[in-house]
Amino acid sequence: AAMKADVVASLKKLGYEIIPSETNFIMINVRRDVRPLLAGMRNHGVHVGRLFPALPQHMRVTIGKPDQMAAFVRAFGEVVGG
């Protein structure tokens, strides 16, 4: 729960909203078509969830180990900012 809270806080600092959940994953509103971002994350060696057709502007991210989540936050910042 602490790792999830840390990741959510990091994403909120970047200006992104997350759908509240009690699950082991988060859905991030990226405010644009998520498909290019999914590819960009893979190019950074970070694999996130598949496209959800009902939520085409959301990225699904399963909460992992601290090193995995640190890599995710770094890659996300580069992909959405670049």
Side-chain angles (χ1 to χ4, degrees), residues 31-78:
R31 302 185 301 265
R32 56 186 140 161
D33 182 8
V34 74
R35 286 174 287 196
L37 302 179
L38 299 178
M41 295 297 286
R42 280 193 300 275
N43 290 340
H44 280 79
V46 176
H47 295 270
V48 295
R50 64 177 172 78
L51 171 69
F52 280 77
L55 295 171
Q57 295 191 341
H58 285 74
M59 181 182 291
R60 183 190 191 279
V61 179
T62 300
I63 304 301
K65 296 177 182 169
D67 59 324
Q68 295 170 320
M69 298 319 296
F72 162 75
V73 171
R74 278 193 306 274
F76 185 84
E78 290 183 27

